[in-house]
């Protein structure tokens, strides 16, 4: 007589993709990512999304309040604030991402090299990082941008990007160095040395890929800092120049003069800066929690 056995083992769960896993584990991070994607879409397709030309002056609509015609009102020159906000997202993302990428990449390379070589090279690199860390990010950016002349390529001030990137370098270098120190003592690094591989090959082929997680976390987090720094420098007149649409530039000048008669000139650019910084900070924290195995139980 045949014996029928029932399989009481639960069916194995179908593995989810990394994106689906991130959405399930970090719902707030997913919301912040959607905000970032919307900002990127608005910046890339600004000519299609913006209802008006951000540079068009309309003296008949000076200081117009928010309405169906001008959703966010107009400024002292009759320019549509909503259109300038949309075009300003392009400026914020280009300068913010480029500054964070340059600063984080240089900092990661210096951090890995410092951990790998050790000794005198490590001591020299870390003392230079200590000097840079002695200055707050915005103060050091102010010094650099004031010392360098404006050098514009494609409507973007390259020196402004480097001014924001330089303060990011030591902060990323410290974090990446700490992660690379644990990688340096791994057996495969010793095996690569014994095989006669060059220092550059060992650093970029064997050590750098193992510090990608902290690098990505710092890169994402410092985009928010770079956007805030660019807005601060533009507000002080050391960043993006008129008539370029930039959030920090929209808060300076006439916006401060007409804050009683036209509070929307300050309200909407300030909300855009706050939302962008909040989204990138929240996404960076969520990415850290998702990639760090200590947070997975």
């Amino acid at each position: 007589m045949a014996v029928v056995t029932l399989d009481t083992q639960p069916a194995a769960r179908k593995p989810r993709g990394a994106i689906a896993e991130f959405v399930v584990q970090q719902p707030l991070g997913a919301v912040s990512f959607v905000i970032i994607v919307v900002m990127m879409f608005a910046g890339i397709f600004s000519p299609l999304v913006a209802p008006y030309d951000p540079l068009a002056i309309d003296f008949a609509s000076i200081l117009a309040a928010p309405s169906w015609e001008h959703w966010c009102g107009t400024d002292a020159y009759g320019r549509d604030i909503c259109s300038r906000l949309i075009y300003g997202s392009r400026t914020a993302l280009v300068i913010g991402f480029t500054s964070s990428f340059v600063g984080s990449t240089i900092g990661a390379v210096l951090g890995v090299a410092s951990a790998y070589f050790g000794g005198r090279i490590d001591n020299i690199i870390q003392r230079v990082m200590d000097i840079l860390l002695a200055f707050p990010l915005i103060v050091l950016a102010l010094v650099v941008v004031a010392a360098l002349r404006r050098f514009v390529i494609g409507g973007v001030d390259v020196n402004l990007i480097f001014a924001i990137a330089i303060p990011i370098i030591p902060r990323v270098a410290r974090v990446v160095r700490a992660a690379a120190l644990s990688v340096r003592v791994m057996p495969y690094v010793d095996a690569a040395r014994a095989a006669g591989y060059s220092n550059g090959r060992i650093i970029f082929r064997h050590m750098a890929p193992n510090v990608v997680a902290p690098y990505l976390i710092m890169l994402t987090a410092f985009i928010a800092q770079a956007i805030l720094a660019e807005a601060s420098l533009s507000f002080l007149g050391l960043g993006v120049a008129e008539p370029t649409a930039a959030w920090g530039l929209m808060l300076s000048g006439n916006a401060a003069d007409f804050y009683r008669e036209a509070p929307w000139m300050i309200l909407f650019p300030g909300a855009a800066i706050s939302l962008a910084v909040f989204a990138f900070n929240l996404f960076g924290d969520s990415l850290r929690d998702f990639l760090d195995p200590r947070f997975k139980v």
Side-chain angles (χ1 to χ4, degrees), residues 71-157:
W71 291 357
C72 300
T74 61
D75 61 8
Y77 297 101
R79 297 175 298 191
D80 184 65
I81 293 179
C82 181
S83 300
R84 291 182 64 79
L85 288 175
I86 294 173
Y87 274 84
S89 63
R90 175 188 296 181
T91 304
L93 289 175
V94 168
I95 295 179
F97 177 79
T98 307
S99 301
S100 181
F101 177 77
V102 172
S104 299
T105 302
I106 296 176
V109 172
L110 290 176
V112 174
S114 179
Y116 175 76
F117 291 108
R120 180 177 297 179
I121 295 178
D122 182 30
N123 192 33
I124 293 174
I125 293 177
Q126 293 310 307
R127 297 299 74 78
V128 174
M129 297 300 106
D130 288 339
I131 295 174
L132 295 177
L133 284 171
F135 300 93
L137 189 148
I138 188 62
V139 174
L140 186 57
L142 275 170
V143 173
V144 176
V145 76
L148 299 176
R149 294 183 178 180
R150 191 178 298 274
F151 181 61
V152 180
I153 296 179
V156 178
D157 188 358

Side-chain angles (χ1 to χ4, degrees), residues 6 39 105 115 124 156 174 209 243 249 281-283 297:
L6 298 177
M39 287 178 54
T105 302
I124 293 174
V156 178
R174 282 295 182 86
L249 196 60
N281 280 332
L282 184 59
F283 180 70
V297 295

Side-chain angles (χ1 to χ4, degrees), residues 126-207:
Q126 293 310 307
R127 297 299 74 78
V128 174
M129 297 300 106
D130 288 339
I131 295 174
L132 295 177
L133 284 171
F135 300 93
L137 189 148
I138 188 62
V139 174
L140 186 57
L142 275 170
V143 173
V144 176
V145 76
L148 299 176
R149 294 183 178 180
R150 191 178 298 274
F151 181 61
V152 180
I153 296 179
V156 178
D157 188 358
V158 177
N159 289 336
L160 177 62
I161 292 176
F162 283 106
I164 300 174
I166 289 175
I168 296 176
I169 293 174
R171 291 162 174 82
V172 177
R174 282 295 182 86
V175 175
V176 173
R177 175 181 176 271
L181 284 174
S182 59
V183 177
R184 184 185 63 176
V185 297
M186 298 300 290
Y188 60 83
V189 176
D190 295 332
R193 287 200 197 99
Y197 291 154
S198 64
N199 293 329
R201 180 184 175 91
I202 296 175
I203 290 175
F204 290 102
R205 187 76 177 270
H206 299 282
M207 293 187 65

Side-chain angles (χ1 to χ4, degrees), residues 9-22:
Q9 294 294 329
R13 292 194 306 173
K14 188 177 181 179
R16 292 178 292 200
I19 297 178
E21 194 74 22
F22 178 80

